[in-house]
Every structure is written in structure tokens, then in C-alpha cells.
């Protein structure tokens, strides 16, 4: 039975990305098998939903290639060697209902469940922040996979581990999950989590009041986790002290984990020697969740309160709140609190009444002209240049961004997009949109430019 599953996993590993395989498939096992049913174990409820809705067809096909064609596949959750009672069957010929909202969440750390009993809180770690309660997806699967690697072998791989991205995307959760996992594996490990503000304040107290113990606190540890590193950037003496602390820990194979809102190279007042240290390990971008992810987050958070939101309500919230995941959760909490107070169901009508201002604060008739105009102003270009024939780089990239926004915000056809920018061939629009879609994932500067323009469209 084990040989069969290893064969299945081997074939799947060749057909999916490394991050996808590590995140979803690696922790699965074949529990039982007969001609009627195959039972596969997964580590948590999110993986269970992902396999039931998204991966079931792939599992079915690979099993068939290995000569196994059961009538149904059942996914069961096994945590620390114990089967849970959540064991809903997935038949092979079912039609997934509401795949969009039932699929596994793709991004953002949602704290699910109660604090883990017996887990150390030494070093300011929040015991609720664990890998099991972190929702994994395409925007953070690399960060998740790297974190797992660090937690299993701290100080030896990806050191330092540097996360960057906007607020509310799960950086703090993921960093503390590493710390909690390390402590769980080895309770004697000394893990310290601090914000950069705490480090700055304690360093200032050390200098002003000659307080003892500063160096001992930050150097006699095994894992140092520092949040919001950008706030240390314009403080020269503090940067110097952190540089020496970093060197001491790194040279002694102690793990360092850092988060910031920007990659090291984009923090203007960060000293060059610190920047080079931060870039010597692994720097990973954690991005905003997409529409499907926002829906999944809402579903997961609502279920914590014992509420099952209907799809219309979920989609309304996810569509109208895009800027910040914490704002999304805040809107959900407001809706649930209002519904509970008035003894009503939290439906789309109630959501519109409470949050309609979010939707109506946006332009009711966003036009192509507005998008092109905003993009041109952002790059200090004339409309004539944007729509003209010149192919200088400082014009081509803004033109491509404008095409991307016309597609993403107005859903215009490619021929229409090309026409709006004075192009005759719609393949130019296709190429431009695809290029910016790719650049947003890989290029921090492009992503910031697109986000800035998009934000100006809705103010």
C-alpha cells in the first residue's frame, strides 16, 4: 500500500510545482484501499477541502494509471497520529459545488482554533500562530515552504529568512509559526520575537540609562525574530548595533527571521552592510490575496463564529473590500456583530446596508479615459505620448500598465483595449497585459506602481 502511494506521489511531483507538492501533497498518506474505496489522510481541514474540490480529479487519474479505480475516494484528517471525526466522503463522479468558495484558501494567516496547550510563550510568541492555522496558497506558498524548512533545521538553511509585503498578509503569523514549531520540536530552544520598535527602545534605554543585559538578551538566543524592520532604517546607531547582533548570531549558526513592508533594496535609508546581510539568505514577497482567497478567508473567519455565510454575501464583501485583509475582517466582524445584536441572518442585504458606503465611495462610472489619464499623470506623461507611436521604455511600460488596468478594472476586450491606446493590433494588448501580470508577481516596483494608480482610481 505504501509503495502504491509513493508511486502516486512520485508522478504528481513531476506534474506540479515544488511549492504546491510540498504544501499540499507531501504530508498525505494512503490509509486504506479496497475495490470500493480509497482513504487518504491529510493534515488539516483546509487541505481536506482542497483535495475534495481541486485535487480529486488528479488523484483519481494517477490512481487509475497505477491500476486502482475505486468507486469513491475519502479524505480524512489525521492530526498527530489521531483520526478526527471530520470525514465527509468525496465520490469520484461528484460535481464540485461552489468551487470558488469551497476551495482551499490561498493567502493570509487566519487564526483558527484555540491556543495549543503546553506550548511555550517564551519570547513573546503567540501560541495561536502555528502552521496548522496558516492558510496557504499561491501568493504565500514559497514563504510557507521556506518556513517549514527553517523550522526543521534552524540556523542551517535560509538564514536570514526575510519576508516582505503589505500589512495584514500574514507575515507576523508565519514568523511566529516558525518559532512555535521550533519550540514544539525542541522546548529548550531559546526563541525571541520582538518588533523593531522594541529593539530600538531597548537599545536607547541601554545607551541613556546604561541598563545592563541588552547584549545578553539578543545574543544568548537560538532564534531571533524581528517584525517591521523598516522602522529601524533611519536610525544609524541602532542599525550599527543590529549589524553586530546579526553578525554574532549568524556566525554562531543562530536563525534570524525578519519582516518588512519592502525588500531590503527598496528601504532607502538602510545601510549597505545591513542590506547585504539581509539579502544573503532568502527574501520572499508575500502578496495580497486575490478574489477567491478573500472569499475563502471570509468563509473561514465566519465559521469560527459558528456562522455559515451564503455565497452572495461573501462575494459582496470580497468584491468591495480589496485594499487590506484586516479591513476585510473588520467588515465581516461588523456584519456579524450587527446581525447578532438584532437577531437576524448576516445576509447580503444587511451587508449592503452596513457597508454600502465602501462600494458607493467608488466612481460609479469608471471610464477608459480616467484610467489612461491617471496612469499618464502617475508617470508624468502626456496623453498624446501614452497613445502615440513612440516606443521609449519610459513610455512603453506606462502604456502596458494602462492596458493591464483597462483589462483588470473594466474587463474590456483586447481589441477595445488596443483601440483605446491607439494600437491597431490587439495582440499588442494581449502581450502587454500578460507582461504586467507576470511583472506584478516578480517586480516590486511595478507592483507598487500598479497599486498606487489603482488606489487613485477609487478615491
Amino acid at each position: 500500500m505504501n509503495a502504491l502511494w509513493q508511486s502516486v506521489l512520485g508522478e504528481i511531483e513531476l506534474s506540479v510545482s515544488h511549492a504546491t507538492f510540498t504544501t499540499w501533497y507531501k504530508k498525505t498518506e494512503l490509509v486504506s484501499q479496497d475495490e470500493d474505496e480509497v482513504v487518504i489522510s491529510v493534515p488539516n481541514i483546509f487541505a481536506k477541502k482542497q483535495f475534495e474540490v481541486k485535487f480529486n480529479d488528479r488523484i483519481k487519474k494517477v490512481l487509475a494509471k497505477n491500476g486502482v479505480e475505486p468507486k469513491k475516494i475519502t479524505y480524512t484528517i489525521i492530526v498527530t497520529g489521531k483520526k478526527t471525526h471530520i470525514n465527509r466522503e468525496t465520490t469520484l463522479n461528484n460535481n464540485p459545488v461552489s468551487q470558488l468558495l469551497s476551495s482551499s484558501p490561498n493567502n493570509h494567516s487566519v487564526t483558527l482554533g484555540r491556543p495549543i496547550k503546553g506550548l511555550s510563550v517564551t519570547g513573546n510568541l503567540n501560541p495561536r500562530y502555528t502552521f496548522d492555522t496558516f492558510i496557504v496558497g499561491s501568493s504565500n506558498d514559497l514563504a510557507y515552504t521556506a518556513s517549514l524548512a527553517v523550522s526543521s533545521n534552524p540556523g542551517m538553511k535560509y538564514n536570514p529568512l526575510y519576508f516582505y509585503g503589505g500589512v495584514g498578509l500574514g507575515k507576523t503569523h508565519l514568523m511566529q509559526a516558525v518559532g512555535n514549531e521550533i519550540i514544539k520540536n525542541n522546548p529548550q530552544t531559546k526563541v525571541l520575537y520582538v518588533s523593531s520598535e522594541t529593539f530600538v527602545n531597548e537599545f536607547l534605554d541601554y545607551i541613556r540609562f546604561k541598563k545592563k543585559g541588552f547584549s545578553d538578551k539578543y545574543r544568548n538566543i537560538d532564534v531571533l525574530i524581528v517584525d517591521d524592520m523598516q522602522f529601524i532604517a533611519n536610525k544609524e546607531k541602532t542599525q550599527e548595533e543590529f549589524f553586530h547582533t546579526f553578525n554574532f548570531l549568524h556566525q554562531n549558526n543562530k536563525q534570524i527571521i525578519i519582516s518588512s513592508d519592502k525588500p531590503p533594496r527598496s528601504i532607502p535609508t538602510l545601510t549597505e552592510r545591513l542590506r547585504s546581510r539581509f539579502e544573503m539568505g532568502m527574501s520572499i514577497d508575500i502578496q495580497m490575496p486575490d478574489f477567491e482567497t478573500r472569499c475563502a478567508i471570509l468563509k473561514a473567519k465566519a465559521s469560527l463564529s459558528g456562522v455559515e455565510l451564503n455565497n452572495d454575501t461573501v462575494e459582496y464583501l470580497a468584491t468591495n473590500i480589496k485594499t487590506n485583509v484586516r479591513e476585510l475582517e473588520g467588515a465581516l466582524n461588523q456584519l456579524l456583530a450587527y446581525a447578532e445584536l438584532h437577531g437576524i441572518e448576516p445576509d447580503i442585504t444587511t451587508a449592503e446596508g452596513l457597508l454600502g458606503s465602501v462600494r458607493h465611495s467608488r466612481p460609479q462610472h469608471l471610464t477608459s479615459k480616467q484610467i489612461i489619464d491617471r496612469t499618464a499623470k502617475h508617470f508624468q506623461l502626456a496623453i498624446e505620448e501614452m497613445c502615440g507611436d513612440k516606443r521609449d521604455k519610459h513610455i512603453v511600460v506606462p502604456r502596458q500598465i494602462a492596458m493591464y488596468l483597462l483589462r483588470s478594472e473594466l474587463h474590456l476586450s483586447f481589441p477595445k483595449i488596443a483601440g483605446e491606446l491607439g494600437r491597431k493590433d490587439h495582440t499588442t494588448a494581449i502581450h502587454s497585459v500578460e507582461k504586467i501580470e507576470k511583472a506584478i508577481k516578480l517586480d516590486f516596483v511595478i507592483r507598487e506602481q500598479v497599486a498606487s494608480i489603482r488606489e487613485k482610481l477609487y478615491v
Side-chain angles (χ1 to χ4, degrees):
M1 189 163 61
N2 183 60
L4 167 64
W5 194 240
Q6 290 306 311
S7 177
V8 170
L9 291 180
E11 289 194 42
I12 291 174
E13 188 171 12
L14 295 175
S15 63
V16 301
S17 70
H18 175 71
T20 297
F21 180 81
T22 303
T23 300
W24 299 111
Y25 291 95
K26 191 172 183 180
K27 293 184 179 181
T28 61
E29 294 181 6
L30 183 59
V31 177
S32 64
Q33 171 213 343
D34 57 42
E35 60 181 15
D36 292 323
E37 181 183 29
V38 165
V39 180
I40 300 168
S41 72
V42 296
N44 54 55
I45 186 65
F46 304 112
K48 185 173 186 290
K49 289 182 179 180
Q50 188 82 337
F51 275 91
E52 288 174 342
V53 174
K54 188 173 181 180
F55 300 146
N56 192 62
D57 287 344
R58 179 179 285 127
I59 295 292
K60 174 185 175 182
K61 290 177 182 177
V62 179
L63 281 173
K65 287 177 67 176
N66 284 270
V68 178
E69 298 185 63
K71 295 178 181 178
K72 63 183 178 183
I73 297 177
T74 299
Y75 299 98
T76 185
I77 301 170
I78 295 183
V79 182
T80 61
K82 296 182 180 180
K83 292 184 181 179
T84 71
H85 296 295
I86 306 174
N87 188 23
R88 178 162 46 93
E89 295 174 351
T90 299
T91 59
L92 289 178
N93 59 354
N94 69 339
N95 291 317
V97 178
S98 187
Q99 290 191 22
L100 186 67
L101 299 179
S102 298
S103 61
S104 176
N106 293 327
N107 199 348
H108 186 68
S109 60
V110 178
T111 300
L112 303 173
R114 291 169 292 185
I116 300 173
K117 292 182 179 179
L119 188 60
S120 171
V121 293
T122 301
N124 302 321
L125 292 175
N126 187 330
R128 295 180 302 161
Y129 289 162
T130 68
F131 288 127
D132 287 339
T133 61
F134 186 83
I135 297 178
V136 187
S138 59
S139 295
N140 65 8
D141 54 0
L142 178 60
Y144 177 81
T145 302
S147 297
L148 286 175
V150 166
S151 67
S152 64
N153 200 7
M156 305 305 294
K157 194 172 187 180
Y158 308 141
N159 195 20
L161 183 59
Y162 188 107
F163 299 128
Y164 64 92
V167 298
L169 302 184
K171 300 188 300 295
T172 298
H173 185 142
L174 195 53
M175 289 194 301
Q176 294 203 33
V178 177
N180 281 325
E181 186 71 13
I182 290 172
I183 290 176
K184 187 171 73 171
N185 294 335
N186 184 0
Q188 304 306 314
T189 306
K190 297 177 182 178
V191 178
L192 177 62
Y193 165 83
V194 295
S195 66
S196 63
E197 181 183 11
T198 298
F199 185 89
V200 170
N201 290 339
E202 291 185 354
F203 177 62
L204 292 177
D205 287 345
Y206 165 71
I207 294 176
R208 291 167 59 192
F209 306 114
K210 302 187 184 304
K211 284 189 175 182
K212 297 181 179 180
F214 178 83
S215 295
D216 289 340
K217 176 178 179 178
Y218 286 96
R219 299 188 186 186
N220 293 333
I221 55 176
D222 300 304
V223 181
L224 175 61
I225 305 172
V226 184
D227 216 344
D228 293 324
M229 182 55 72
Q230 67 270 16
F231 296 122
I232 205 175
N234 61 350
K235 300 172 177 62
E236 292 184 10
K237 290 293 185 182
T238 306
Q239 287 193 61
E240 182 178 351
E241 177 60 30
F242 190 81
F243 171 80
H244 293 306
T245 299
F246 182 104
N247 276 350
F248 180 87
L249 294 174
H250 195 273
Q251 289 168 7
N252 286 278
N253 294 323
K254 307 301 182 181
Q255 182 65 49
I256 303 164
I257 307 173
I258 297 168
S259 82
S260 174
D261 64 345
K262 299 179 180 68
R265 64 180 180 276
S266 297
I267 302 177
T269 53
L270 190 66
T271 61
E272 184 57 38
R273 60 181 183 176
L274 263 187
R275 182 180 291 110
S276 66
R277 294 302 190 280
F278 292 167
E279 292 178 339
M280 67 192 295
M282 175 174 276
S283 297
I284 304 175
D285 181 12
I286 300 179
Q287 300 177 26
M288 274 289 293
D290 56 19
F291 173 76
E292 291 85 353
T293 301
R294 296 196 298 275
C295 288
I297 290 169
L298 289 165
K299 283 279 195 178
K301 296 296 286 186
S303 68
L304 286 178
S305 301
V307 176
E308 292 297 325
L309 289 180
N310 62 53
N311 292 351
D312 288 343
T313 306
V314 169
E315 291 181 5
Y316 171 80
L317 293 173
T319 299
N320 285 281
I321 301 178
K322 303 177 182 179
T323 56
N324 187 290
V325 175
R326 289 176 184 156
E327 182 183 345
L328 183 70
E329 294 181 2
L332 173 64
N333 292 335
Q334 183 181 355
L335 173 62
L336 297 182
Y338 182 90
E340 182 179 1
L341 182 64
H342 292 83
I344 59 176
E345 290 295 322
D347 56 17
I348 188 171
T349 302
T350 306
E352 288 177 337
L354 288 172
L355 309 171
S357 59
V358 175
R359 179 182 63 181
H360 298 306
S361 65
R362 301 186 171 195
Q364 294 298 301
H365 302 289
L366 185 62
T367 65
S368 301
K369 183 179 182 303
Q370 287 175 312
I371 290 177
I372 296 171
D373 183 60
R374 287 287 187 183
T375 306
K377 286 182 178 179
H378 180 86
F379 290 101
Q380 298 181 336
L381 296 172
I383 298 295
E384 292 74 17
E385 291 178 297
M386 288 281 287
C387 301
D389 295 328
K390 288 186 178 180
R391 297 193 54 79
D392 298 14
K393 184 177 180 180
H394 76 282
I395 298 175
V396 170
V397 173
R399 185 184 294 146
Q400 290 173 334
I401 289 176
M403 290 185 177
Y404 168 80
L405 290 170
L406 288 172
R407 182 69 173 176
S408 64
E409 302 304 304
L410 298 183
H411 308 291
L412 297 184
S413 66
F414 288 114
K416 178 68 172 174
I417 292 172
E420 293 289 345
L421 272 300
R423 311 293 106 181
K424 295 180 180 179
D425 187 355
H426 74 279
T427 58
T428 302
I430 295 175
H431 169 73
S432 297
V433 171
E434 290 178 347
K435 183 174 181 179
I436 298 302
E437 283 177 344
K438 183 177 180 180
I440 285 173
K441 296 180 180 179
L442 302 176
D443 191 321
F444 177 79
V445 174
I446 293 291
R447 184 166 58 256
E448 288 288 290
Q449 290 170 338
V450 171
S452 178
I453 297 167
R454 181 179 278 135
E455 184 176 345
K456 292 173 183 175
L457 294 172
Y458 298 117
V459 294

